[in-house]
Amino acid sequence: MFTTLRQFYSLSSVFERAMKFANDDPFLWQQFALSSVSRGASSPSSSFRALRVLERSLAVAHASPVAEAPQTAAQHLVAAQLYIENGDYDKGVEHADAASLLAGAGVLKGRALLLRAVSLQQKACTSSRSFYERLQFLSESGHQLEKCIELDAHDYLTLYYAALHYAHGQWDKKKHGSLCTRR
């Protein structure tokens, strides 16, 4: 009911009180983390708190025998997205890799590879490292985008980032030009 009314603050408060009684239940931690993420979209300080809750939720999920891999992979994807939005690209890559390992083959695997590619691309663009290190990040980002397109050739978000990567001139036109055309 709270989510339909967009009362994420109240929902987060309810889950925070419930956590006092159900310490290591992975489902409650997951719901608390997701409500904190929804609540934290408005301010950076709430976003950092949501990341801490999400990290704790992932720790409980990894320790629990009843936690399911797709749900844990989805939590890693949310964590990767939040870290990328906050500019911590190394942690974004770390969580995208963890999600990729848990996801198996399918849509979640493609999204994990896409988040890894976006994180590497942003890391290369905002880094003050040497030219060759940035070129290596961009090259690896391109390889990740190729893998995403191989998994799902009709995923428009992947095609968008591949076209963006191509537009910035980081791909060889002869080798990768056909990947950016609409299929």
Side-chain angles (χ1 to χ4, degrees):
M1 181 175 117
F2 285 125
T3 55
T4 56
L5 296 174
R6 302 190 58 81
Q7 297 294 319
F8 298 115
Y9 183 82
S10 300
L11 183 63
S12 181
S13 299
V14 167
F15 278 119
E16 191 168 6
R17 278 186 251 134
M19 298 316 295
K20 294 176 184 174
F21 303 107
N23 195 17
D24 288 334
D25 185 10
F27 179 75
L28 280 177
W29 272 104
Q30 178 188 14
Q31 294 302 311
F32 181 38
L34 292 176
S35 67
S36 297
V37 166
S38 298
R39 174 185 172 184
S42 60
S43 69
S45 62
S46 296
S47 179
F48 288 122
R49 183 173 188 273
L51 278 170
R52 287 195 316 265
V53 172
L54 193 57
E55 289 286 345
R56 175 68 178 136
S57 171
L58 285 168
V60 169
H62 285 298
S64 173
V66 295
E68 297 178 9
Q71 290 177 347
T72 308
Q75 287 182 33
H76 277 292
L77 289 176
V78 171
Q81 180 183 353
L82 285 174
Y83 277 117
I84 291 169
E85 288 174 358
N86 288 319
D88 192 355
Y89 305 117
D90 292 327
K91 293 285 273 187
V93 168
E94 186 179 307
H95 281 285
D97 287 341
S100 179
L101 290 174
L102 290 171
V107 176
L108 287 178
K109 175 98 172 172
R111 290 301 163 146
L113 292 174
L114 178 63
L115 281 173
R116 188 175 200 285
V118 168
S119 184
L120 288 170
Q121 189 176 25
Q122 291 297 316
K123 186 176 178 179
C125 291
T126 60
S127 177
S128 61
R129 298 176 187 215
S130 73
F131 173 76
Y132 295 108
E133 288 180 3
R134 289 184 291 168
L135 191 61
Q136 182 181 7
F137 290 142
L138 290 172
S139 174
E140 190 176 344
S141 174
H143 292 301
Q144 295 299 315
L145 287 170
E146 286 176 11
K147 288 179 185 178
C148 291
I149 292 172
E150 287 174 9
L151 283 173
D152 186 7
H154 302 290
D155 184 7
Y156 288 109
L157 189 60
T158 301
L159 293 176
Y160 168 77
Y161 279 106
L164 181 66
H165 200 74
Y166 177 71
H168 286 297
Q170 289 132 2
W171 271 357
D172 183 18
K173 185 176 183 176
K174 292 178 183 175
K175 184 177 178 186
H176 303 291
S178 65
L179 291 177
C180 298
T181 59
R182 191 170 187 193
R183 296 179 184 208

